[in-house]
Amino acid sequence: DLVDWRKPLLWQVGHLGEKYDEWVHQPVDRPIRLFHSDFMEALSKTAWYVVFMVWTPVVLYLSWVSYTSLAQGNTRLFSSFTTEYSIPVHKYCFPFIFLLGMFLWSLVEYLIHRFVFHMKPPASNYYLITLHFLLHGQHHKSPFDSSRLVFPPVPASLVIVVFYWLLRLLLPEVLGLSMFVGGLCGYVVYDMMHYYLHYGSPKKGTYLYGLKAYHVKHHFEHQKSGFGISTRFWDYPFQTLIPEETFEKEN
């Protein structure tokens, strides 16, 4: 092989250069070690239920904070521009803001998967190749490694905080928090669904069965399309849908 599997791969892949893109999309069924340090290696692995256990209480708590804050009746849209024509936001708007956050997460999920996780690093750039392998390349190289199918809470928390502050800057505090918690719930659903698409056994003909077949095609035949994981919705407008005939051939 092009790498020494007895040693951590993260510091080797950058030397593959122009061979990296083809190599990383040839899947193997074996575990991957990324780091020399046992501590760093442990931080890069996570059981699926850890994500649920860590973030579900956060979603529930922030949902309660958002709803009770809206119930005080002090939140208004456009209040920073005009007080006369500002629009009050009722507490019963929270479920709709929450769902909007989940919907926007599905777009973020698609964009990150397509443009960050599936970027093609320049063959001459050792560091970008290494970064790509750390973020997503290792998952495509070893798609059956159950310990790396969901995002570890420690690095995930750094990204989540960035999204939180962005929404705080763009929207009034409670509105930003309400949309953020919906997006956070969407992320948890995405991670749980991603794990299930690899290891679950959905009944044939169901929505999840179709998504599982779609994701398998993405891994093994169509790595440059089919970027939707929890939904195929965004693959339609961005024209990255996996052709339907590839499924019909199986039947």
Side-chain angles (χ1 to χ4, degrees), residues 10-30:
L10 187 60
W11 314 118
Q12 300 184 58
V13 294
H15 297 295
L16 295 180
E18 59 185 19
K19 298 178 181 178
Y20 170 75
D21 189 63
E22 181 181 358
W23 174 85
V24 81
H25 290 114
Q26 294 175 349
V28 297
D29 187 8
R30 62 188 298 175

Side-chain angles (χ1 to χ4, degrees), residues 66-78:
S66 300
Y67 180 80
T68 54
S69 298
L70 288 174
Q72 295 176 9
N74 300 323
T75 305
R76 305 181 73 89
L77 277 175
F78 312 118

Side-chain angles (χ1 to χ4, degrees), residues 51-52 54-63 94-95 97-106 109 160 163 167 176-194 230:
V51 172
F52 184 83
V54 169
W55 296 114
T56 300
V58 178
V59 170
L60 294 175
Y61 173 73
L62 293 182
S63 295
F94 172 73
I97 302 171
F98 184 95
L99 290 174
L100 178 60
M102 290 191 70
F103 177 73
L104 290 177
W105 160 257
S106 69
E109 168 198 317
I160 287 170
F163 280 115
L167 287 172
L177 182 62
S178 301
M179 193 169 294
F180 167 78
V181 71
L184 183 58
C185 182
Y187 157 69
V188 175
V189 171
Y190 149 79
D191 245 356
M192 297 299 96
M193 188 172 289
H194 184 221
S230 58

Side-chain angles (χ1 to χ4, degrees), residues 125-138:
N125 196 313
Y126 171 90
Y127 297 102
L128 278 181
I129 292 175
T130 302
L131 178 63
H132 177 268
F133 189 72
L134 176 65
L135 291 176
H136 198 61
Q138 48 85 16

Side-chain angles (χ1 to χ4, degrees), residues 5 13 21 46 68 74 78 90 94 112 143 191 198 239-240 243 249:
W5 287 90
V13 294
D21 189 63
T46 309
T68 54
N74 300 323
F78 312 118
H90 199 274
F94 172 73
I112 291 176
D191 245 356
H198 278 263
Q239 298 182 345
T240 54
K249 289 177 183 178

